[in-house]
Amino acid sequence: MREIFRDLMGNEAIKHNLGAAIADGTSSHAYIIEGPRGSGKRTVATLAAAALSCENRQNAGSPLPCGHCPVCKRILHGQSADVITVSPHGKATIGVDEIREIKSGLYVVPNDSDMRVYIIEQADKMTVQAQNSFLISLEDPPSFVTFFLLTEDASALLETVRSRSTVLRTELFGPDELEEYLGTVPGADGIRKRDPEKFYNALRGARGSIGAAKEILFPSESGRKAKAAEEKAMEFAEYLFTAKTGDAISWVLREIPAKRGLAVAKELILYVAEATRDLTLLMKSSNAPAFLFTDRERSDRIISSVPPSYGAYVFENVAKAMDRLESNVSPRICYFDLVFSCEKNRAG
Ligand SMILES: [Zn+2]
């Protein structure tokens, strides 16, 4: 049997229904994906987008999506111009303007493949007017368009929107599924044998989330240190992006020691570069894979007020600071320079 959505853990019903429909070419043009936070709504929509567009989709011997063709790769890495994500970006609602923008580009022929997918995140944040103006597009889009409306609660959408869409539900892992999955994680099975209480506490505490379960089982010292550095870097990146110069300067005085601060400065700048990279990519596509800013509400809040080209400036300045730290400039001066160059770019 053909392997469908093989990278999707759990959510068997979706694999059967949505996956099979895409494989048969009988999928609908509008889906509502409803499910709790952390249950894989975005993953399902992205895999479906890849499956719909995959160059090997007609080949019954290939997994779907194949994951290797150029189209799959671009979509799975969040770099396809044919997968368009609309999200509230930290605002309270998705308004008529956002829907108008979708409608204005609806009939434009796709770029990379012969399909285009729109993913509307937190679709229940569409205003009533936005939903109403969306109805005709939802009901009768061009044949190469599929919509995925993601929401934690489909009943918050207008009945007219629901009736024009196929509703799918994503589920958190059940305890059995999570246990089965953890059995395949190196080290976790050993803990189950040595210290069953710890293992099963982690299972319960994780509430269906793989990430949470791993975090409880393996809170290593180096992991904790890295976490602290990540958090510091994300804080600093936030100050740079939101032009909070005063806060950024206080951060430097607090985190970079005046004497012998070079090692700390060099270590932190790597994390700052990652955080900056995340925000810069997320400004381009909310599908972009993020290393540090995995909490999209937080990143949306930061980037919502940032001018479009500013991310690249910050990134450039961070890269310069990395170079300068190699040439033994005073680490604090180096960071101050970074803060002021960003401020100058933002003002100019
Ligand atoms: Zn493919």
Side-chain angles (χ1 to χ4, degrees), residues 16 22 42 49 68 122 151 173 182-183 194 207 242 245 263 298-299 323 327 341 348:
H16 284 272
I22 293 176
R42 188 197 299 260
H68 303 300
Q122 300 179 55
T151 175
F173 273 20
L182 284 177
R194 274 195 320 275
R207 295 173 196 279
T242 53
T245 304
R298 180 175 179 185
S299 56
D323 283 348
S327 58
S341 325

Side-chain angles (χ1 to χ4, degrees), residues 50 54-56 65-69 71-72:
C54 175
E55 288 178 2
N56 293 306
C66 77
H68 303 300
C69 72
V71 175
C72 274

Side-chain angles (χ1 to χ4, degrees), residues 151-162:
T151 175
E152 287 179 32
D153 177 15
S155 71
L157 290 163
L158 293 181
E159 168 56 28
T160 41
V161 168
R162 289 205 305 272

